[in-house]
mmCIF file of all heavy atoms in Angstrom:
data_model
loop_
_atom_site.group_PDB
_atom_site.id
_atom_site.type_symbol
_atom_site.label_atom_id
_atom_site.label_comp_id
_atom_site.label_asym_id
_atom_site.label_seq_id
_atom_site.Cartn_x
_atom_site.Cartn_y
_atom_site.Cartn_z
ATOM 1 N N ARG A 89 -11.618 2.320 29.789
ATOM 2 C CA ARG A 89 -10.318 2.063 29.184
ATOM 3 C C ARG A 89 -9.237 2.079 30.275
ATOM 4 O O ARG A 89 -8.328 1.268 30.259
ATOM 5 C CB ARG A 89 -10.017 3.081 28.081
ATOM 6 C CG ARG A 89 -8.640 2.838 27.415
ATOM 7 C CD ARG A 89 -8.450 3.666 26.183
ATOM 8 N NE ARG A 89 -7.124 3.443 25.602
ATOM 9 C CZ ARG A 89 -6.798 2.460 24.826
ATOM 10 N NH1 ARG A 89 -7.674 1.495 24.516
ATOM 11 N NH2 ARG A 89 -5.562 2.339 24.328
ATOM 12 N N GLN A 90 -9.335 3.046 31.180
ATOM 13 C CA GLN A 90 -8.351 3.116 32.242
ATOM 14 C C GLN A 90 -8.417 1.854 33.097
ATOM 15 O O GLN A 90 -7.362 1.298 33.470
ATOM 16 C CB GLN A 90 -8.575 4.365 33.113
ATOM 17 C CG GLN A 90 -7.519 4.535 34.166
ATOM 18 C CD GLN A 90 -7.812 5.660 35.140
ATOM 19 O OE1 GLN A 90 -8.946 6.099 35.247
ATOM 20 N NE2 GLN A 90 -6.785 6.167 35.765
ATOM 21 N N ARG A 91 -9.598 1.405 33.448
ATOM 22 C CA ARG A 91 -9.765 0.220 34.297
ATOM 23 C C ARG A 91 -9.211 -1.039 33.588
ATOM 24 O O ARG A 91 -8.821 -1.977 34.293
ATOM 25 C CB ARG A 91 -11.205 0.060 34.712
ATOM 26 C CG ARG A 91 -11.700 1.129 35.669
ATOM 27 C CD ARG A 91 -13.078 0.851 36.210
ATOM 28 N NE ARG A 91 -13.483 1.877 37.124
ATOM 29 C CZ ARG A 91 -14.317 2.891 36.848
ATOM 30 N NH1 ARG A 91 -14.882 2.934 35.619
ATOM 31 N NH2 ARG A 91 -14.650 3.774 37.743
ATOM 32 N N ALA A 92 -9.236 -1.067 32.288
ATOM 33 C CA ALA A 92 -8.738 -2.235 31.566
ATOM 34 C C ALA A 92 -7.238 -2.368 31.767
ATOM 35 O O ALA A 92 -6.657 -3.445 31.475
ATOM 36 C CB ALA A 92 -9.077 -2.112 30.075
ATOM 37 N N TYR A 93 -6.555 -1.330 32.232
ATOM 38 C CA TYR A 93 -5.121 -1.384 32.482
ATOM 39 C C TYR A 93 -4.794 -1.931 33.889
ATOM 40 O O TYR A 93 -3.617 -2.156 34.189
ATOM 41 C CB TYR A 93 -4.499 -0.007 32.319
ATOM 42 C CG TYR A 93 -4.298 0.438 30.888
ATOM 43 C CD1 TYR A 93 -4.781 1.663 30.445
ATOM 44 C CD2 TYR A 93 -3.628 -0.404 29.987
ATOM 45 C CE1 TYR A 93 -4.597 2.071 29.119
ATOM 46 C CE2 TYR A 93 -3.406 0.028 28.662
ATOM 47 C CZ TYR A 93 -3.920 1.244 28.244
ATOM 48 O OH TYR A 93 -3.731 1.641 26.933
ATOM 49 N N ARG A 94 -5.780 -2.116 34.735
ATOM 50 C CA ARG A 94 -5.527 -2.515 36.091
ATOM 51 C C ARG A 94 -4.729 -3.823 36.175
ATOM 52 O O ARG A 94 -3.672 -3.908 36.821
ATOM 53 C CB ARG A 94 -6.846 -2.675 36.849
ATOM 54 C CG ARG A 94 -7.508 -1.382 37.264
ATOM 55 C CD ARG A 94 -8.845 -1.605 37.901
ATOM 56 N NE ARG A 94 -8.734 -2.488 39.026
ATOM 57 C CZ ARG A 94 -9.826 -2.976 39.692
ATOM 58 N NH1 ARG A 94 -11.043 -2.691 39.302
ATOM 59 N NH2 ARG A 94 -9.629 -3.767 40.747
ATOM 60 N N ARG A 95 -5.234 -4.857 35.541
ATOM 61 C CA ARG A 95 -4.568 -6.171 35.657
ATOM 62 C C ARG A 95 -3.180 -6.161 35.007
ATOM 63 O O ARG A 95 -2.210 -6.633 35.574
ATOM 64 C CB ARG A 95 -5.479 -7.252 35.051
ATOM 65 C CG ARG A 95 -4.802 -8.654 35.123
ATOM 66 C CD ARG A 95 -5.796 -9.718 34.690
ATOM 67 N NE ARG A 95 -6.915 -9.842 35.606
ATOM 68 C CZ ARG A 95 -7.897 -10.732 35.476
ATOM 69 N NH1 ARG A 95 -7.881 -11.536 34.435
ATOM 70 N NH2 ARG A 95 -8.868 -10.756 36.364
ATOM 71 N N PRO A 96 -3.062 -5.662 33.713
ATOM 72 C CA PRO A 96 -1.700 -5.669 33.106
ATOM 73 C C PRO A 96 -0.683 -4.871 33.920
ATOM 74 O O PRO A 96 0.485 -5.228 33.977
ATOM 75 C CB PRO A 96 -1.955 -5.013 31.741
ATOM 76 C CG PRO A 96 -3.408 -5.277 31.455
ATOM 77 C CD PRO A 96 -4.057 -5.192 32.812
ATOM 78 N N LEU A 97 -1.130 -3.755 34.519
ATOM 79 C CA LEU A 97 -0.178 -2.936 35.292
ATOM 80 C C LEU A 97 -0.042 -3.387 36.744
ATOM 81 O O LEU A 97 0.712 -2.817 37.508
ATOM 82 C CB LEU A 97 -0.669 -1.475 35.277
ATOM 83 C CG LEU A 97 -0.649 -0.762 33.882
ATOM 84 C CD1 LEU A 97 -1.228 0.646 34.026
ATOM 85 C CD2 LEU A 97 0.734 -0.734 33.342
ATOM 86 N N GLN A 98 -0.829 -4.396 37.115
ATOM 87 C CA GLN A 98 -0.773 -4.970 38.446
ATOM 88 C C GLN A 98 -1.037 -3.924 39.529
ATOM 89 O O GLN A 98 -0.266 -3.782 40.512
ATOM 90 C CB GLN A 98 0.535 -5.689 38.675
ATOM 91 C CG GLN A 98 0.768 -6.860 37.701
ATOM 92 C CD GLN A 98 2.081 -7.575 37.955
ATOM 93 O OE1 GLN A 98 2.908 -7.182 38.772
ATOM 94 N NE2 GLN A 98 2.261 -8.677 37.252
ATOM 95 N N ILE A 99 -2.102 -3.180 39.349
ATOM 96 C CA ILE A 99 -2.493 -2.191 40.352
ATOM 97 C C ILE A 99 -3.886 -2.567 40.848
ATOM 98 O O ILE A 99 -4.710 -3.156 40.213
ATOM 99 C CB ILE A 99 -2.506 -0.765 39.749
ATOM 100 C CG1 ILE A 99 -3.411 -0.690 38.528
ATOM 101 C CG2 ILE A 99 -1.107 -0.298 39.409
ATOM 102 C CD1 ILE A 99 -3.530 0.710 37.932
ATOM 103 N N ARG A 100 -4.123 -2.198 42.151
ATOM 104 C CA ARG A 100 -5.345 -2.560 42.816
ATOM 105 C C ARG A 100 -6.577 -1.794 42.304
ATOM 106 O O ARG A 100 -7.628 -2.342 42.100
ATOM 107 C CB ARG A 100 -5.250 -2.321 44.302
ATOM 108 C CG ARG A 100 -6.523 -2.633 45.096
ATOM 109 C CD ARG A 100 -6.300 -2.495 46.583
ATOM 110 N NE ARG A 100 -5.331 -3.480 47.118
ATOM 111 C CZ ARG A 100 -4.964 -3.565 48.364
ATOM 112 N NH1 ARG A 100 -5.476 -2.733 49.259
ATOM 113 N NH2 ARG A 100 -4.071 -4.486 48.730
ATOM 114 N N ASP A 101 -6.360 -0.491 42.030
ATOM 115 C CA ASP A 101 -7.456 0.337 41.561
ATOM 116 C C ASP A 101 -6.914 1.509 40.744
ATOM 117 O O ASP A 101 -5.683 1.764 40.775
ATOM 118 C CB ASP A 101 -8.299 0.881 42.735
ATOM 119 C CG ASP A 101 -9.703 1.229 42.318
ATOM 120 O OD1 ASP A 101 -10.035 1.142 41.124
ATOM 121 O OD2 ASP A 101 -10.491 1.639 43.198
ATOM 122 N N VAL A 102 -7.762 2.171 40.009
ATOM 123 C CA VAL A 102 -7.324 3.295 39.182
ATOM 124 C C VAL A 102 -7.462 4.603 39.977
ATOM 125 O O VAL A 102 -8.221 4.685 40.950
ATOM 126 C CB VAL A 102 -8.139 3.344 37.908
ATOM 127 C CG1 VAL A 102 -7.924 2.111 37.055
ATOM 128 C CG2 VAL A 102 -9.608 3.580 38.194
ATOM 129 N N SER A 103 -6.724 5.542 39.555
ATOM 130 C CA SER A 103 -6.796 6.885 40.163
ATOM 131 C C SER A 103 -6.287 7.903 39.126
ATOM 132 O O SER A 103 -5.757 7.543 38.076
ATOM 133 C CB SER A 103 -5.896 6.958 41.406
ATOM 134 O OG SER A 103 -4.527 6.681 41.115
ATOM 135 N N THR A 104 -6.442 9.170 39.480
ATOM 136 C CA THR A 104 -5.940 10.217 38.608
ATOM 137 C C THR A 104 -4.996 11.096 39.435
ATOM 138 O O THR A 104 -5.148 11.249 40.612
ATOM 139 C CB THR A 104 -7.069 11.119 38.077
ATOM 140 O OG1 THR A 104 -7.848 11.608 39.197
ATOM 141 C CG2 THR A 104 -7.974 10.346 37.134
ATOM 142 N N PRO A 105 -3.964 11.648 38.730
ATOM 143 C CA PRO A 105 -3.685 11.456 37.328
ATOM 144 C C PRO A 105 -2.903 10.149 37.101
ATOM 145 O O PRO A 105 -2.188 9.698 37.998
ATOM 146 C CB PRO A 105 -2.784 12.652 36.978
ATOM 147 C CG PRO A 105 -2.046 12.920 38.277
ATOM 148 C CD PRO A 105 -3.079 12.638 39.368
ATOM 149 N N GLN A 106 -3.041 9.589 35.950
ATOM 150 C CA GLN A 106 -2.285 8.370 35.577
ATOM 151 C C GLN A 106 -1.800 8.511 34.149
ATOM 152 O O GLN A 106 -2.597 8.784 33.249
ATOM 153 C CB GLN A 106 -3.103 7.111 35.734
ATOM 154 C CG GLN A 106 -2.349 5.837 35.436
ATOM 155 C CD GLN A 106 -3.210 4.612 35.445
ATOM 156 O OE1 GLN A 106 -4.396 4.639 35.117
ATOM 157 N NE2 GLN A 106 -2.618 3.472 35.800
ATOM 158 N N LEU A 107 -0.528 8.352 33.951
ATOM 159 C CA LEU A 107 0.092 8.361 32.621
ATOM 160 C C LEU A 107 0.478 6.918 32.256
ATOM 161 O O LEU A 107 1.244 6.287 32.983
ATOM 162 C CB LEU A 107 1.320 9.247 32.600
ATOM 163 C CG LEU A 107 1.040 10.755 32.573
ATOM 164 C CD1 LEU A 107 2.180 11.512 33.159
ATOM 165 C CD2 LEU A 107 0.747 11.224 31.157
ATOM 166 N N VAL A 108 -0.076 6.397 31.159
ATOM 167 C CA VAL A 108 0.240 5.042 30.709
ATOM 168 C C VAL A 108 0.985 5.147 29.400
ATOM 169 O O VAL A 108 0.571 5.840 28.460
ATOM 170 C CB VAL A 108 -1.056 4.251 30.513
ATOM 171 C CG1 VAL A 108 -0.699 2.828 30.038
ATOM 172 C CG2 VAL A 108 -1.854 4.168 31.810
ATOM 173 N N ILE A 109 2.160 4.477 29.368
ATOM 174 C CA ILE A 109 3.045 4.558 28.219
ATOM 175 C C ILE A 109 3.034 3.272 27.492
ATOM 176 O O ILE A 109 3.324 2.213 28.019
ATOM 177 C CB ILE A 109 4.456 4.944 28.660
ATOM 178 C CG1 ILE A 109 4.433 6.274 29.429
ATOM 179 C CG2 ILE A 109 5.382 5.063 27.455
ATOM 180 C CD1 ILE A 109 5.766 6.666 30.030
ATOM 181 N N ASN A 110 2.674 3.322 26.220
ATOM 182 C CA ASN A 110 2.599 2.143 25.314
ATOM 183 C C ASN A 110 1.762 1.028 25.920
ATOM 184 O O ASN A 110 1.937 -0.171 25.643
ATOM 185 C CB ASN A 110 4.014 1.650 25.026
ATOM 186 C CG ASN A 110 4.661 2.408 23.897
ATOM 187 O OD1 ASN A 110 4.000 3.128 23.128
ATOM 188 N ND2 ASN A 110 5.970 2.276 23.778
#
Side-chain angles (χ1 to χ4, degrees):
R89 180 169 178 82
Q90 184 186 20
R91 291 188 179 101
Y93 283 127
R94 286 174 56 187
R95 180 173 294 181
L97 295 176
Q98 299 181 352
I99 55 178
R100 177 175 296 181
D101 203 356
V102 297
S103 61
T104 56
Q106 183 185 31
L107 285 154
V108 180
I109 303 174
N110 278 344

